[in-house]
DNA sequence: GGCATATTCAACCAAATGGTTGACGATCTT
DNA sequence: AAGATCGTCAACCATTTGGTTGAATATGCC
């Protein structure tokens, strides 16, 4: 038997979204992943490649980034593509701009950049995913 | 017995400053403390007052915020005053503005506000610390 | 079908985190 | 000096985190 709370892991959990966003950003591996995705959308395997860490570990990091709204993942065939999602970063930025008490920031070049990315909707036309 | 590593807790530790800043921001209690300090510099005891948590716990949170460069603490007599420090938030914001690859953000109203605060150099002339 | 590739799941582990309590060193007040 | 107040220290505890490995699940290729 598995005790009695096997539902959806409903404990206190992190209630506030900002907890999740900032916690996600607090790890250097995850920030490095975000920086990589700034250059290109990537498959999980390719994200993992430069790190001296198991694929599983990277997969977990990507899950954390996804739940924080910092990246979005989309499965195409057997490959799961990862791309930046501005929403997480935006909410964090809004808070930081004076803990939400001042006017929200316009993420300037960054937001516009990401919006372009989104518009392309994961078109790996010039990506180079398969390296073998 | 206390084992044998009682020195300064020298393990790997968090190397990158951003790790420390974002980790500090990832806790709702600490963000609430920052929001409180936005209104007024406060003594540790007064910071702790609204929380249902021990003074020790708040003291630890304040240490974490201090090490992250998010607040500064100054002891005056037996009272330790806490005030916001823009440096931590600034470094986080710089990174977020496109992971350091875009132009750094001007923290607008927030920075100017804090610089005024700093100029006043912890003058609790209109603060109301002692409530008894 | 059979095999390789892509990714996650499950179980496990060490270390870090966030909290507690009780004792302690400072400092102010009387 | 005594006592109260401010804050931290030390030890402890439960939970979370970040990693591992081995097996499992999909999907693509021949």
């Amino acid at each position: 038997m598995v005790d009695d709370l096997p539902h959806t892991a409903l404990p206190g959990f992190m209630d506030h979204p900002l907890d999740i966003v900032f916690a996600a950003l607090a790890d250097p591996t995850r920030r490095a992943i975000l920086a990589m995705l700034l250059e290109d959308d990537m498959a999980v395997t390719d994200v993992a490649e430069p790190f001296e860490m198991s694929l599983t570990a990277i997969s977990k990091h990507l899950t954390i980034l996804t739940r924080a709204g910092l990246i979005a993942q989309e499965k195409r065939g057997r490959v799961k593509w990862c791309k930046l999602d501005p929403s997480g970063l935006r909410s964090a930025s809004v808070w930081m701009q004076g803990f939400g008490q001042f006017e929200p920031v316009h993420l300037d070049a960054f937001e516009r950049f990401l919006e372009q990315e989104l518009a392309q909707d994961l078109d790996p036309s010039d990506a180079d995913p398969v390296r073998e």
Side-chain angles (χ1 to χ4, degrees), chain A:
Chain A
M1 303 243 191
V2 233
D3 261 336
D4 73 321
L5 64 151
H7 263 154
T8 346
L10 51 117
F13 233 46
M14 299 223 209
D15 13 4
H16 202 292
L18 282 178
D19 295 7
I20 303 175
V21 176
F22 283 127
L25 292 175
D27 185 279
T29 300
R30 290 193 289 262
R31 287 197 310 276
I33 291 174
L34 292 177
M36 288 168 62
L37 292 178
L38 198 55
E39 297 188 22
D40 249 323
D41 301 340
M42 297 177 81
V44 174
T45 308
D46 295 313
V47 169
E49 200 256 341
F51 296 97
E52 294 190 334
M53 191 182 301
S54 69
L55 227 198
T56 300
I58 297 295
S59 178
K60 285 185 185 178
H61 280 305
L62 291 171
T63 299
I64 289 171
L65 288 169
T66 301
R67 294 201 316 172
L70 289 164
I71 70 170
Q73 292 180 290
E74 181 193 352
K75 195 165 181 180
R76 282 222 217 161
R78 65 178 167 181
V79 174
K80 200 167 193 178
W81 291 91
C82 308
K83 62 172 178 179
L84 291 177
D85 177 354
S87 62
L89 216 14
R90 190 184 296 126
S91 63
S93 181
V94 166
W95 184 87
M96 287 177 55
Q97 243 21 46
F99 318 123
Q101 301 197 20
F102 292 89
E103 36 181 346
V105 73
H106 15 287
L107 276 179
D108 294 355
F110 174 62
E111 283 242 352
R112 271 184 271 110
F113 173 82
L114 286 187
E115 247 120 56
Q116 285 178 15
E117 293 284 302
L118 286 174
Q120 295 175 12
D121 194 34
L122 276 173
D123 180 17
S125 52
D126 61 342
D128 179 34
V130 260
R131 326 167 356 271
E132 189 187 18

